[in-house]
């Protein structure tokens, strides 16, 4: 899809996706599934940051509630994810997708379960 993880730290993640005709629906606006993918990905990444040298973390989405808020034309989608609460096995996060940093397109809240990494 062309998504780039542009910022990642404890409890936070940010991703970018340049707009393109391949991301649009029949009205020419970004397709809802693209927004859901960004919301889910960035929320999940916000909870699995590990410092260099620490064990790698993975997570599975248990639930994601999405709200579509706006629509518009622009150049860049920017998604931000924030951890709200962490437990031993589950974490809760929220996320948002902005168009060109000035139009909020969608928000989500999610529940994620840590997964064992098998190598």
């Amino acid at each position: 899809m062309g998504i780039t993880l542009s910022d990642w730290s404890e409890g936070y993640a940010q991703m970018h996706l340049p707009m393109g005709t391949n991301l649009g629906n029949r009205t020419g606006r970004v397709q809802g599934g693209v927004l859901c993918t960004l919301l889910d990905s960035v929320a999940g990444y916000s909870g699995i940051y590990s410092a260099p040298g620490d064990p790698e973390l993975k997570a599975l989405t248990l639930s994601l509630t999405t709200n579509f808020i706006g629509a518009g034309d622009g150049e860049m989608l920017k998604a931000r994810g924030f951890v709200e609460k962490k437990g031993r096995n589950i974490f809760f996060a929220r996320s948002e997708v902005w168009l060109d940093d000035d139009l909020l397109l969608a928000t989500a809240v999610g529940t994620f379960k840590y997964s064992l990494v098998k190598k």
Side-chain angles (χ1 to χ4, degrees):
M1 282 183 67
I3 299 171
T4 302
L5 179 64
S6 58
D7 193 5
W8 198 20
S9 58
E10 184 66 36
Y12 178 77
Q14 182 173 286
M15 296 178 172
H16 292 116
L17 177 60
M19 284 294 297
T21 57
N22 61 323
L23 302 179
N25 58 24
R26 288 186 282 170
T27 67
R29 302 286 168 85
V30 64
Q31 204 270 345
V34 172
L35 295 174
C36 286
T37 298
L38 278 168
L39 291 164
D40 184 40
S41 298
V42 78
Y45 264 79
S46 73
I48 61 169
Y49 176 80
S50 57
D54 286 351
E56 182 179 346
L57 297 173
K58 299 280 185 181
L60 304 168
T61 305
L62 296 177
S63 71
L64 188 73
T65 302
T66 304
N67 299 296
F68 297 103
I69 295 171
D73 299 316
E75 300 295 317
M76 181 68 68
L77 297 171
K78 183 182 287 185
R80 296 181 183 104
F82 309 88
V83 170
E84 293 295 326
K85 179 124 175 112
K86 267 188 171 183
R88 280 184 293 155
N89 298 310
I90 292 175
F91 68 93
F92 304 91
R94 64 183 170 87
S95 55
E96 55 195 35
V97 175
W98 292 80
L99 180 61
D100 294 337
D101 279 325
D102 63 339
L103 178 62
L104 182 61
L105 297 180
T107 63
V109 292
T111 305
F112 301 84
K113 180 177 176 43
Y114 290 106
S115 173
L116 295 175
V117 177
K118 295 185 182 194
K119 292 190 177 196

